């Protein structure tokens, strides 16, 4: 095994960004090649880590630890590690970003700046999923905001500046709440027992019955709600979701792939790692509210998707709807539900990335995303239309694809949730299942109007898929089918961690 594997995975993209900075602007192909090779090698390293990850072993693996800043009363430590929750998200991040770099071949302006921001963004996202120190986690979390702000604001659509500032404002407010919650968590932990920023140690301190008097239930409830809102903005959860459609519609294709494929998962990961991990009793107390918000997300997102005229905005609202399934599974406090939540994070990462790539490829040729203007595409670009249809079927949850596995597990989990945790759990499961019908309705209707029907004459001579476009299309669809027909490839990695989480929260 390679020493300091996680550090190598996290900081290799940053090294690539520094190399790109030394390349003259006019050497665009060299810049693209360096970005591609860097993200590819990072992906291969994550595969090596995945292969060496010990299934069935509880706790963190590939751990790295040393003191970074020692102030006497507290140390800022460089703590890294992965378990069954973070390992799949680490691999998801490297795959989606590598494919997004390939999808960025259409970027022609300010190429060097673009790929520098992409590689810095990759370092930030990877750091979030491996950091075990509160300060380090916050630094990496913030590191993702600036690159995405500039990528949307510079290379986005006509209203890119509005969308970029809205993205920064919402996620920045979420980060401010997270910082307040982290400070309160650290301070109260220090007053009760020990000054530490380590998530695992904080979980032990907050679980110690001897500290119950210092860390009161009222404080724990307020802390959990603050953390929940902070991560709800990123997930996003109603009513903190309004930044997402604007960001998606204005972002370039590669940024939309990363935004839906990875960045939204950071919110869910933070909620599970910090909220559920350190305050499992409060997660149980608020499970009913979380489940209801999950149902609202599923139905509300699906209804808004149903009335969209812009194909990209439809996919954006479908992402909001599908993130509700993550909430639903996590709130169930059952093994199946938690498995479904993590499966959904990975599955939706691949499906949303493929959907946004297909929408971007079609827009590049037709210069429109209006559904009513995209008729009969299967007649002129049958390969692109076929992959778009396959991505839509995966999003609907067709058996044999990853979406089916995650939805089945999440809905099974909530259906059999304990009435003590989720009153009327079966009713919630039935109402949430209506979202599947709505999803089928808006996606099938959109596919019928775009890929079939009357062909617009202006689209009669479009170029079908180019060779380089097959790389993201085939890879993403292949992974979606692989997880769908062989879910054990993911289940073997997450099962032990899922059992640990559920046992802590009393499920």
């Amino acid at each position: 095994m390679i020493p300091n594997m996680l550090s190598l995975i996290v900081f290799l993209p940053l090294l690539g960004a520094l190399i790109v900075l030394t390349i003259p602007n006019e050497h665009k192909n060299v810049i693209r090649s360096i970005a591609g090779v860097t993200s590819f090698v990072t992906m291969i390293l994550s595969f090596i880590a995945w292969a060496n990850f010990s299934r069935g072993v509880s706790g963190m693996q590939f751990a790295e630890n040393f003191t970074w800043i020692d102030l006497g009363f507290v140390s800022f430590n460089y703590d890294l590690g992965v378990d069954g929750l973070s390992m799949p998200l680490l691999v998801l991040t490297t795959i989606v970003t590598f494919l997004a770099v390939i999808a960025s071949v259409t970027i022609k302006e300010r190429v060097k700046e673009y790929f520098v921001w992409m590689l810095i963004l990759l370092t930030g996202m990877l750091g979030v999923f491996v950091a075990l120190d509160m300060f380090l986690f916050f630094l990496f979390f913030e590191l993702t905001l600036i690159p995405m702000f500039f990528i949307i604001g510079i290379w986005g659509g006509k209203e890119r500046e509005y969308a970029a500032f809205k993205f920064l404002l919402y996620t920045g407010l979420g980060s401010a709440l997270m910082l307040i919650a982290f400070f309160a968590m650290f301070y109260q932990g220090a007053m009760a027992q020990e000054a530490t920023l380590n998530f695992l140690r904080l979980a032990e301190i907050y679980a110690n019955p001897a500290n119950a008097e210092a860390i009161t239930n009222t404080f724990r409830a307020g802390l959990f709600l603050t953390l929940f809102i902070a991560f709800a903005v990123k997930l996003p959860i109603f009513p903190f979701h309004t930044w997402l459609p604007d960001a998606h519609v204005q972002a370039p294709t590669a940024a939309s792939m990363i935004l839906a494929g990875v960045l939204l998962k950071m919110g869910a990961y933070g909620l599970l790692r910090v909220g559920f991990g350190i305050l499992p009793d409060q997660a149980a107390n608020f499970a009913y509210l979380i489940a209801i918000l999950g149902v609202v997300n599923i139905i509300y997102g699906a209804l808004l998707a149903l009335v969209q005229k812009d194909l990209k905005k439809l996919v954006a609202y479908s992402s909001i709807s599908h993130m509700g399934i993550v909430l639903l599974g996590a709130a169930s406090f059952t093994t199946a539900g938690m498995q479904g939540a993590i499966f959904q994070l990975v599955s939706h990462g691949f499906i949303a990335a493929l959907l946004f790539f297909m929408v971007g490829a079609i827009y590049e040729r037709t210069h429109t995303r209006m559904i009513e203007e995209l008729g009969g595409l299967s007649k002129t670009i049958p390969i692109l239309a076929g992959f778009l249809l396959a991505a839509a079927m995966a999003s609907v949850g067709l058996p044999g694809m990853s979406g089916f596995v995650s939805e089945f597990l999440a809905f099974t989990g909530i259906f059999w949730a304990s009435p003590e945790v989720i009153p009327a759990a079966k009713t919630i499961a039935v109402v949430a299942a209506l979202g599947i019908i709505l999803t089928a309705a808006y996606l099938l209707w959109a596919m019928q109007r775009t890929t079939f029907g009357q062909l617009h004459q202006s689209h009669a001579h479009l170029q079908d898929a180019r060779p380089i476009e097959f790389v993201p299309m085939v890879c993403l669809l292949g992974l979606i089918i692989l997880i769908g027909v062989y879910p054990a490839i993911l289940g073997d990695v997450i099962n032990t961690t899922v059992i640990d989480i559920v046992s802590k929260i009393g499920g």
Side-chain angles (χ1 to χ4, degrees), residues 257-337:
M257 291 170 67
I258 293 176
L259 196 57
V262 181
L263 280 189
L264 304 189
K265 281 62 187 179
M266 286 167 43
Y269 174 77
L271 183 61
L272 293 175
R273 172 69 70 206
V274 186
F276 281 56
I278 297 178
L279 299 161
D281 56 326
Q282 297 306 315
N285 289 342
F286 289 102
Y288 190 34
L289 173 64
I290 295 172
I292 291 174
L293 284 173
V295 174
V296 171
N297 253 51
I298 292 170
I299 303 298
Y300 179 74
L303 287 174
L304 287 179
L306 195 60
V307 299
Q308 296 306 312
K309 298 178 181 177
D310 184 323
L311 187 58
K312 197 173 186 183
K313 193 171 276 190
L314 180 150
V315 177
Y317 278 110
S318 82
S319 290
I320 294 172
S321 178
H322 281 89
M323 287 302 95
I325 297 174
V326 175
L327 280 185
L328 208 61
S332 73
F333 280 34
T334 62
T335 302

Side-chain angles (χ1 to χ4, degrees), residues 140-182:
F140 282 124
F141 204 93
E142 293 308 290
L143 187 60
T144 64
L145 301 186
I146 303 303
M148 186 54 77
F149 169 77
F150 281 113
I151 290 172
I152 296 174
I154 296 175
W155 292 274
K158 291 180 181 177
E159 299 179 11
R160 54 185 178 273
E161 292 183 1
Y162 168 76
F165 277 107
K166 192 172 182 180
F167 162 78
L168 191 65
L169 178 64
Y170 271 72
T171 53
L173 287 173
S175 296
L177 281 177
M178 181 170 63
L179 184 61
I180 292 170
F182 278 5

Side-chain angles (χ1 to χ4, degrees), residues 311 358-359 361-363 365-366 368-371 373-386 388 446-456 458-464:
L311 187 58
M358 300 314 305
V359 173
I362 290 171
Y363 177 75
R365 288 159 173 79
T366 62
T368 181
R369 292 191 300 262
M370 294 297 111
I371 294 173
E373 298 172 4
L374 294 171
L377 292 181
S378 61
K379 298 181 177 67
T380 183
I381 47 174
I383 296 175
L384 288 177
L388 176 65
M447 292 306 106
Q448 189 274 328
R449 287 184 292 167
T450 53
T451 59
F452 301 108
Q454 186 67 34
L455 175 67
H456 286 250
S458 59
H459 303 156
H461 303 289
L462 300 178
Q463 181 188 10
D464 208 350

Side-chain angles (χ1 to χ4, degrees), residues 183-196:
F183 181 78
M185 187 189 299
F186 162 76
Y187 179 80
Q188 210 61 25
M191 291 297 101
Q193 185 173 339
E194 177 186 333
T196 179

